[in-house]
Amino acid sequence: MAESTHSPRRNVEVPEGLWIRCVRCGAMVYRRILEEELHVCPECDYHYRIDARTRLAQLNDPGTFEEFLPDLESSDPLEFTDRISYRERLAKTKQETGETEAIVVGKGFIKGRPLIMGVMNPNFIMGSMGAVVGEKVSAATERAMNESLPLLMVTCSGGARMMEGMVSLAQMAKTSAAVAKFDDAGGLYIVVMTDPTTAGVAASFAFLGDVTLAEPGALIGFAGPRVIANTIKATLPEGFQRAEFMLEHGFVDRIVHRRDLRSEIARIIDYCNK
């Protein structure tokens, strides 16, 4: 038998992380394409959670964002410990995320429109609100009022941070009071709710916007659907607490695709400045 002249087949190694399987539709998506699509699946439009810095880069005109209060860090008022101490959890999270807290606040420009903004980070203890988050939200609101600029909050949170107990719950009243003062001064407050916006954040500054936008499919509400179902022992409506359900029932004003957020925010600012 003649010897084969074909070269043996070689396995081609694909670098790890080049492809991502969409958690909703299962499609294999090239990571670079996903990033170009603003971390939205090109097959099914699933909006992935993104960190605060990625969101800021997507929203702001290049090189215009100026952060303030970057060095505020949480203390440990209760000396809280579960699996690990709160101090250890904070240190680990800071190292993993490169952030000091679950929100970044500053002044930016969206299509040339100046505004004060706060963007929450789901990667920092699930965007939970403790004393520092409450202080940053309140400080951003006060600065927007002092500079007569619109205020934008991009919310993404699992709620109040249980490791800070009553201190974290007090931030609900603190942030709500700050927004009320801003409203009395005639300020424009825009909220963009992303997945998830729940519990203490939803029950305070997230639901106080003059205009409330939401990303498609975002979970929005106080208690999660599983908690509610287990509590009242009832079957909940399809898509309960998703952005589309909340729009239908009047809790949000508009659902906006991530690629359209910059244009929509700029349009709202222009309309309210007439």
Side-chain angles (χ1 to χ4, degrees), residues 25-272:
C25 69
M28 294 299 295
V29 182
Y30 191 38
R31 182 181 291 274
R32 183 174 61 82
I33 298 296
L34 188 67
E35 292 171 354
E36 289 174 356
E37 295 293 327
L38 306 181
H39 298 270
V40 177
C41 176
E43 300 296 328
C44 70
D45 252 7
Y46 177 74
H47 282 53
Y48 280 83
R49 295 173 185 173
I50 54 177
D51 61 56
R53 300 293 171 179
T54 301
R55 177 78 65 178
L56 288 165
Q58 289 180 1
L59 286 176
N60 285 281
D61 299 344
T64 64
F65 182 74
E66 298 176 3
E67 184 178 1
F68 54 83
L69 300 177
D71 299 324
L72 283 186
E73 298 188 21
S74 294
S75 61
D76 185 11
L78 304 182
E79 298 183 355
F80 187 91
T81 298
D82 48 21
R83 289 185 295 105
I84 59 175
S85 72
Y86 183 36
R87 290 184 185 275
E88 289 176 293
R89 191 181 302 278
L90 283 170
K92 181 180 178 182
T93 305
K94 289 172 188 175
Q95 183 177 23
E96 291 174 347
T97 63
E99 302 290 350
T100 57
E101 253 302 335
I103 192 170
V104 178
V105 294
K107 181 177 180 178
F109 287 78
I110 296 179
K111 293 200 168 185
R113 286 79 168 171
L115 71 169
I116 303 298
M117 64 178 68
V119 176
M120 304 193 77
N121 190 348
N123 297 334
F124 198 103
I125 314 182
M126 199 49 248
S128 52
M129 178 170 64
V132 171
V133 170
E135 176 61 23
K136 284 190 171 187
V137 170
S138 300
T141 306
E142 183 174 355
R143 182 158 175 176
M145 182 170 59
N146 291 340
E147 297 188 20
S148 298
L149 291 175
L151 174 65
L152 170 69
M153 285 290 164
V154 182
T155 59
C156 183
S157 176
R161 189 172 299 171
M162 67 175 186
M163 301 85 162
E164 295 186 24
M166 187 54 68
V167 174
S168 66
L169 293 178
Q171 307 312 308
M172 296 171 63
K174 178 177 180 175
T175 55
S176 297
V179 171
K181 187 177 179 180
F182 182 61
D183 182 64
D184 289 341
L188 170 62
Y189 179 34
I190 303 169
V191 176
V192 177
M193 295 186 175
T194 72
D195 183 61
T197 296
T198 59
V201 168
S204 55
F205 67 91
F207 262 117
L208 295 177
D210 297 304
V211 181
T212 304
L213 309 177
E215 287 194 332
L219 177 66
I220 300 168
F222 186 67
R226 282 181 297 182
V227 173
I228 296 173
N230 290 334
T231 301
I232 66 175
K233 308 299 180 185
T235 302
L236 301 173
E238 183 69 24
F240 178 69
Q241 291 187 319
R242 292 294 169 180
E244 294 74 14
F245 184 91
M246 304 303 279
L247 176 66
E248 182 181 347
H249 290 80
F251 288 96
V252 301
D253 297 308
R254 188 169 300 171
I255 295 174
V256 183
H257 194 285
R258 191 171 290 168
R259 64 171 173 263
D260 299 323
L261 271 176
R262 275 172 47 84
S263 296
E264 189 64 26
I265 292 167
R267 187 180 299 115
I268 293 168
I269 293 172
D270 288 347
Y271 179 82
C272 294

